[in-house]
Amino acid sequence: GNSVTQMEGPVTLSEEAFLTINCTYTATGYPSLFWYVQYPGEGLQLLLKATKADDKGSNKGFEATYRKETTSFHLEKGSVQVSDSAVYFCALSAPEDSSASKIIFGSGTRLSIRP
Amino acid sequence: DAGVTQSPTHLIKTRGQHVTLRCSPISGHKSVSWYQQVLGQGPQFIFQYYEKEERGRGNFPDRFSARQFPNYSSELNVNALLLGDSALYLCASSLVVGGLEQYFGPGTRLTVT
C-alpha cells in the first residue's frame, strides 16, 4: 500500500543553520506530495506541495523537489529561525484515491531551533 | 474569512461512553474529512464526506461514524470509547472531493479515562 517514511526526530539546530528533513514514499501511480507543519497547540498547515515529478514546491523559505527516480521529497531551508520550531509532516495523496481526498501522513519530525 | 472550526476544544470521557465532535468547514467548501492523530504519530484518515455522502473510509471500526449536514458541517461520532481512542481529532475541509488543498482545523483533544 501507499506509505510515507520520514526521518525521526527530534532535530535540534542552531538559528541560521541549514535544514534537511528526509522523506521517501511508496505509492502506485503518480501521487501528489506535501509538507505540512504543526506549530505547538495548533492544527496542521499546508507548507508546500508538488503534484508531478521534478516539480519544486516552495514557501516561507522552505523548498522540496518531487524526485520520482528516488521516490523522495526532502524538505530544505537554507537558514532556519527560532519561529520554525514545529513538527513537520511529509504526506501524499494517491491518484487511485481521487474519489476521496485521503492524505497519508508520515510520523512527523519535531524540529527545535536554538537561538 | 473564518477557517475550519471544531468544537469542543477539549473533552474528557470515560471508557464505554459515546462522544460527538463537530466541525464547520470554510465557507464554500463542500467536502469534510476527519483524521485521528495519536500522540507522537501522523494523522490517520477516518472519513471523507462530500455533499452529505460518504466518499471514503479509513481502517477504523464501526464504532466510528460520521455525517454531513445540508450546510456542509459535520459530526464525528464514536461509540463505546476505548482508552486507545484518546487522540487529537482533526477536521479538514476542501472545495471538492478530489481537491488537493485541504485546510485543517485546530482539532479536538479527546481523553478517555
Side-chain angles (χ1 to χ4, degrees), chain A residues 38 46 49 89 99-101 103, chain B residues 35 37 42 48 97 99 101-102:
Chain A
Q38 190 171 35
L46 178 63
K49 69 179 181 184
F89 293 93
S99 62
S101 302
I103 298 177
Chain B
Y35 292 80
Q37 185 179 13
Q48 183 178 40
V97 67
E101 297 279 351
Q102 289 202 31

Side-chain angles (χ1 to χ4, degrees), chain B residues 9-68:
Chain B
T9 304
H10 298 88
L11 202 53
I12 299 175
K13 291 285 190 178
T14 304
R15 276 176 298 177
Q17 286 187 318
H18 163 271
V19 68
T20 298
L21 310 181
R22 296 178 174 82
C23 170
S24 292
I26 292 171
S27 177
H29 284 195
K30 299 183 178 180
S31 179
V32 170
S33 298
W34 287 95
Y35 292 80
Q36 180 196 64
Q37 185 179 13
V38 174
L39 193 64
Q41 297 182 20
Q44 299 289 318
F45 175 77
I46 309 175
F47 286 111
Q48 183 178 40
Y49 276 76
Y50 177 71
E51 294 281 11
K52 297 178 291 180
E53 291 187 1
E54 181 183 305
R55 290 301 192 96
R57 184 184 183 111
N59 187 25
F60 280 81
D62 292 343
R63 298 185 296 106
F64 288 76
S65 64
R67 56 179 176 166
Q68 186 177 33

Side-chain angles (χ1 to χ4, degrees), chain A residues 11-23:
Chain A
V11 174
T12 302
L13 297 172
S14 297
E15 203 166 22
E16 299 183 2
F18 184 85
L19 168 72
T20 300
I21 301 178
N22 291 336
C23 172

Side-chain angles (χ1 to χ4, degrees), chain A residues 29-44:
Chain A
Y30 301 94
S32 295
L33 303 175
F34 311 89
W35 277 99
Y36 281 83
V37 59
Q38 190 171 35
Y39 297 102
E42 299 184 14
L44 290 168

Side-chain angles (χ1 to χ4, degrees), chain B residues 54-106:
Chain B
E54 181 183 305
R55 290 301 192 96
R57 184 184 183 111
N59 187 25
F60 280 81
D62 292 343
R63 298 185 296 106
F64 288 76
S65 64
R67 56 179 176 166
Q68 186 177 33
F69 299 99
N71 66 354
Y72 304 111
S73 67
S74 177
E75 284 183 354
L76 174 69
N77 295 283
V78 186
N79 293 323
L81 285 167
L82 303 174
L83 295 179
D85 295 331
S86 296
L88 180 67
Y89 289 84
L90 296 166
C91 173
S93 78
S94 57
L95 273 171
V96 294
V97 67
L100 295 179
E101 297 279 351
Q102 289 202 31
Y103 298 85
F104 284 81

